[in-house]
Amino acid sequence: MDIEQTRYNMVEQQIRTWEVLDQDVLDLLFKVRREDFVPPAHQALAFVDMEIPLGHGQAMWTPKLEARVLQDLDIRPTDRVLEIGTGSGYLTALLASLAAGVMSVDIFPEFTADATRKLRAHGFDNVTLHTADAARDWPDMTGFDAIVLTGSTPLLSEAFLRRLNVGGRLFAITGEAPVMHAQLITRTAPGATRSVTLFETCVAPLVNAPQPAAFVF
């Protein structure tokens, strides 16, 4: 397999056709080697338009979803980013390539350990990884300029909105299968946000994500 040709095909046939046209994002997909973050058992699927299993019912997003999120979040060199759900560490690496710093949290210790090893091997020194249950909140006194939830959530915790600095953006996939909505929420002023629905999709839920109150007769 010609890896570079396959990578080029991924960008041109999957990602660019999904309205990802930001050249900085497209260039980054050639720079950060996706195959280095894919589990060894699934190396042959690194550039395929599919989710790749990671274990624990979790999966890497499709390449086009990863790229679209980067574009929609519009990460800036001064941004401080919070990622809920480290997974393979690939999206973490992409975010860290664009931002000043990334804090990434995952509930599964082996994901944190594996991502730490891979990110260090690739020279990322602006990432802090934690193992914790952060599906409902990750307390931080200084706030974030961008937040991304890599699993879906039936309800979006208001706590994450409070962590956004003014001008900050939050990407979350809300709702329940089979139809979920990708949302971009921007902190426009203290106490005020603007929400835009970007597209429909369906991804695995965050472990312990907030649930709607059950209706009792």
Side-chain angles (χ1 to χ4, degrees):
M1 180 177 68
D2 184 336
I3 288 182
E4 294 312 316
Q5 182 63 49
T6 306
R7 193 189 324 277
Y8 175 84
N9 293 343
M10 174 190 73
V11 171
E12 294 300 317
Q13 297 171 11
Q14 297 176 40
I15 293 171
R16 191 184 291 275
T17 58
W18 218 50
E19 300 180 9
V20 179
L21 304 176
D22 185 318
Q23 195 59 49
D24 289 340
V25 171
L26 297 176
D27 289 345
L28 188 59
L29 300 176
F30 288 97
K31 179 182 176 182
V32 182
R33 298 170 60 85
R34 193 173 198 268
E35 66 272 23
D36 292 347
F37 292 84
V38 172
H42 301 296
Q43 285 285 312
L45 304 175
F47 306 108
V48 177
D49 183 19
M50 64 173 286
E51 294 184 343
I52 296 178
L54 296 174
H56 299 288
Q58 307 302 303
M60 288 182 73
W61 279 350
T62 62
K64 65 186 181 187
L65 181 54
E66 293 163 340
R68 181 65 184 272
V69 169
L70 286 180
Q71 177 174 270
D72 290 331
L73 277 173
D74 188 24
I75 303 297
R76 299 149 195 174
T78 56
D79 281 350
R80 186 165 182 262
V81 180
L82 173 64
E83 178 187 40
I84 304 301
T86 309
S88 71
Y90 177 63
L91 183 60
T92 318
L94 295 174
L95 293 166
S97 298
L98 298 171
V102 176
M103 183 173 294
S104 187
V105 188
D106 203 288
I107 197 170
F108 299 110
E110 54 266 52
F111 287 0
T112 304
D114 193 45
T116 297
R117 177 180 58 79
K118 291 174 181 175
L119 290 163
R120 285 178 178 170
H122 284 75
F124 289 100
D125 58 4
N126 62 337
V127 178
T128 303
L129 300 175
H130 295 274
T131 299
D133 181 357
R136 297 168 184 262
D137 189 16
W138 181 254
D140 194 284
M141 296 301 294
T142 57
F144 296 92
D145 304 297
I147 299 174
V148 55
L149 277 59
T150 66
S152 62
T153 179
L155 297 175
L156 179 61
S157 172
E158 289 287 331
F160 289 120
L161 300 180
R162 293 194 294 269
R163 303 295 170 200
L164 279 180
N165 295 329
V166 173
R169 294 84 59 208
L170 183 149
F171 178 90
I173 296 172
T174 59
E176 299 178 272
V179 178
M180 303 174 183
H181 295 93
Q183 292 186 296
L184 184 69
I185 302 170
T186 303
R187 169 71 66 197
T188 56
T193 59
R194 180 182 68 248
S195 179
V196 176
T197 298
L198 302 171
F199 51 85
E200 291 184 355
T201 188
C202 190
V203 301
L206 288 170
V207 177
N208 297 331
Q211 300 292 319
F215 184 78
V216 179
F217 289 95

